[in-house]
Amino acid sequence: MGSVRIGVDTGGTFTDVVLVDEETGEIVTTKTPSTPANPADGFMAGVHKVLELHTGSGDLGDVSAIVHGTTVATNQLLEDRPDGTAHLGFVTTEGFEFILEIARQSVPDGYGNSYFWVKPPRIVPVHRVRTVGGRLDHLGREIRPFDEAGAVQAARWFAGNGVTAIGVCFLHSYANPDHERRMREVIEREHPDAVVSLSSDVLREYREYERSVTTLVDAAVKPIMRRYIGNLSDRLGRPFSVMKSNGGVLSASEVVHQPITTVLSGPAAGALGAALIAGTAGHPGVITLDGGGTSTDVAVVVDGEPSLTTEGNVGRYPCKIPMIDIVTVGAGGGSIAWISREGTLKVGPKSAGADPGPLCYGRGGTEVTVTDAHVFLGRVPPHLLGGEIPLDVSAARAGIEALAGKLGLSPERCATGILEISAFNQSNAIRQITVKRGLDVRDFPMVAFGGSGPLLACRLIDVLGLRAAIVPPNPGNVSAFGLLTVDVKNDYVRTHVSRDPSQETLRAVFAELEGQAAAALDREGFASHVYARSADLRYYGQAYEVRVPAPDGPPDEGWRAAVVDRFHEAHQRLYGYGYRDDSRHAVEWVNLRVSGIGPITRPKIARLPYQPDEPSPVATRDVFYERWGRTVIYRRGDLRAGAVVTGPAVIEEYGSTLPVHPGFTATMDDYGNLVVVSDR
C-alpha cells in the first residue's frame, strides 16, 4: 500500500493539485490549466505533474488514495446544457402533473419584483411529464393500488420520444417507497437504456415540490457524471473518491448512483480546508472566501465546522440535500467588465473563463476582466504560476485604456473602479452568509484563498470592518488540500411528523437509518463507523424546521427532552425568541437524520521556524494603490514566522498574489498564514 494521497480540484481556469506523503509529512502543491472540453485531461495532467515534482516520476504505484473535487455536475445545471435537461422526463402521481408548474409562491427579490419577474422554464416541461395511478396516504398506507398498465404506457412513451433520464416522485413515497420501486422495475423492463432516479432514494422526506426537483436534478446529471467518472476510472486504472456537497467524500463507484451529492463538490472542499487551516492557527470561527477565475464562494465556519443547510440551490434549482451553506457570486478573476445601457460600469457575472480567458492571457480574449485590471495596476506579476504562464501586460493596458475612453475616465480610475465593484460584489456575498443569517461580520476574521481570493483582501477589510484577513500558504490550492482533510460521509433522512413520537418509533427509524449508513461504510471498506444523529423540529403551526444534533444512546424520555431543549436554544439563537416555558406552543418533530462517517487521518500542518530579522524584498516595480509608486516585492517562500510586511507592498507566490495596501500590515504566523490587518 502506498503512502501518498492526492487531492485534485478542477476549477474553471486551473486544476489544483495537492500531494501529501503520509510517511514523511511532505506536502507538494501545483496547478495546471483546466481543459473545459474534457476535464479529465486536466485532471490526469495534474496528477502526473505533482507526482513528478514529488518523486521525479509520474508513476501511480505509491498512491494510496486520490480524491477529486469536480464541477461537472454543477456546470451542467448552471449552463442548462442541452445534453442535460433536454432528454429528461418526469413521472408523478395521477392528478399531480402540474406540480413543477405550480412550484412555490416565491418571487426573487420579494413581491416588489412580481410585476417584472418572468417564471423561468421548468426543469421538465409539461409535455414530458407522465402520470401513473395509485395512491398512498401520509403514513404510507395504500389507498389505491399501483397502476401497472399505466406505468407500462408511460415507460413506452418515454422510450418512443427519446427521453433517456427519468425522475420518479410519487406522493408520500417518503413514507413508503414501494410504488416508486415498482415504477423503476417497469422502466427497466420497458426502457432499459434509460437512467432512473427515485425520490425515495434521493431525498426521503416530505415537501413534494422540492423532492421532485431534487430528484430530477439527480437524474439530469447522472448520464454526464457516469461518462465522466467512467472515463477517469479507465484512465487512472484504479479506484478514486469524489468530494460531496455535505463535507464528506464517497468512492467514485458509489457517486455515479447519487451524483446530485456532488453539485457543490469543489466549494465544499475549500470551506473544509480553510476551516482546518484556521482552526490549527487558533481561529475556530471564520468567514471563508474562495476566489477563483469564474466566481467567488463564501461560507461561515463556527466552532471549527462550516455551516450546513438543506435549503440550498444550484442555479435556479432548489436542491434539498445536506450541503455546506455556501453563497456564490459571479466575481472572479475572469469576470468581465462591461458598460450597461445606462452608461455605467458593471463587472460580472459573465466570465472569460479559461479559454480564451482575460486579455492578458493572449489567447484571443477580447473583453477586459478583473485580472486585466490587476495586471494594469501592477498588483500581480507579469506572469502566473512562477513564470509558467507569461502575461501580456500591453494587451491588458490597451483594453483598460479603450474601456476608460468609453467611460470618460482615466485608465487608473477605470481599473480601480473595476476592482472596487468586484470587491463590493464579494462583500455582498459575505453579508448574505453572515448578516442575513443573524451573524455580525465583524466578529469573524476572513480566510481568503483561491487564485484570486487574496487580491482584494485589504479592500474587504475596509468595506466590511473585518478584524483581519488570513491568507493560508499556497492559497490557490486550499480546495485541493481540503479534499485530503475530509471523512467519508453519507446522509440519510426519514420524515416522521409527530408532536409526541414514541420511543419505539424513534428507535426503529434510527436503527434503519444507521443500518443503511453501516452498509454504505462497509462497501467503502471502513471497519470503524461513526454515526451522527440529528432531528428537524419546529413549533406546531410553523412551516419550516430547525435542525439540531441529537445525542447517542437509546431514544428514551431523557433523550427526547435533550433534543427538545436543544431546539429551544437553537430557535432562540436564530430568531431571537422561543417558547421553552409556554405550553401553548407544542414542539413538532418532522425529520430524523443520520450521517454515517468513515474517519480518515488528516494531514498535519507544521509550524514554521521563527524569523527575527526584517524580511528582504526581491524586487521593486511600479504599482498603483492611491497613486503610482515604486513598490517593494516579496517572495512568500522567503518569509518565516514573525516576518512583518508593511504596505505598500506585494507578496508573490506560485499560485496567488497578496497586494498589501498602504495602511495595512501582513504578519506571518507560526503556521505560515499571512495575517493582514488595517493600521488605520
Side-chain angles (χ1 to χ4, degrees), residues 106-275:
S106 58
V107 175
D109 303 320
Y111 289 101
N113 189 37
S114 59
Y115 290 104
F116 311 101
W117 181 67
V118 177
K119 182 183 284 189
R122 266 54 73 208
I123 188 170
V124 176
V126 171
H127 71 272
R128 292 208 303 271
V129 176
R130 303 288 101 180
T131 62
V132 173
R135 188 69 177 269
L136 306 171
D137 69 7
H138 69 288
L139 297 177
R141 297 173 299 203
E142 188 173 81
I143 298 174
R144 290 198 300 271
F146 178 70
D147 182 2
E148 181 99 10
V152 170
Q153 186 178 9
R156 290 176 177 174
W157 186 91
F158 288 132
N161 287 272
V163 175
T164 55
I166 303 169
V168 181
C169 182
F170 290 149
L171 202 64
H172 303 308
S173 58
Y174 58 85
N176 181 354
D178 179 62
H179 284 192
E180 287 193 352
R181 291 173 179 171
R182 291 178 66 184
M183 185 70 222
R184 178 170 57 193
E185 291 172 359
V186 170
I187 295 173
E188 288 174 346
R189 184 176 67 245
E190 301 291 337
H191 188 11
D193 293 334
V195 297
V196 182
S197 292
L198 304 185
S199 75
S200 52
D201 291 340
V202 175
L203 183 70
R204 199 166 172 180
E205 63 179 273
Y206 83 153
R207 293 197 175 99
E208 61 271 15
Y209 170 66
E210 286 80 5
R211 184 157 47 94
S212 296
V213 176
T214 303
T215 302
L216 287 166
V217 168
D218 186 75
V221 299
K222 255 181 184 170
I224 192 171
M225 280 296 291
R226 286 184 173 180
R227 289 195 297 271
Y228 176 65
I229 295 296
N231 184 12
L232 268 185
S233 298
D234 291 343
R235 294 176 68 170
L236 279 171
R238 56 181 300 118
F240 67 100
S241 301
V242 179
M243 182 74 197
K244 297 170 64 180
S245 308
N246 67 353
V249 297
L250 191 63
S251 69
S253 59
E254 292 285 330
V255 156
V256 295
H257 301 299
Q258 42 183 300
I260 191 175
T261 61
T262 70
V263 292
L264 286 179
S265 178
L272 288 159

Side-chain angles (χ1 to χ4, degrees), residues 292-296 329-340 343-352 367-374 400 403 407 409 413-426 428 452 456:
T294 303
S295 62
T296 295
V329 61
S335 295
I336 292 170
W338 52 284
I339 301 174
S340 70
T344 57
L345 179 63
K346 304 283 187 180
V347 180
K350 186 179 178 183
S351 173
E367 297 176 285
V368 173
T369 67
V370 171
T371 296
D372 294 313
H374 282 296
I400 293 288
L403 183 62
L407 292 164
L409 300 173
R413 286 197 66 191
C414 178
T416 53
I418 291 170
L419 301 186
E420 195 72 3
I421 294 169
S422 186
F424 270 89
N425 289 340
Q426 292 183 355
N428 287 336
S452 67
L456 295 172

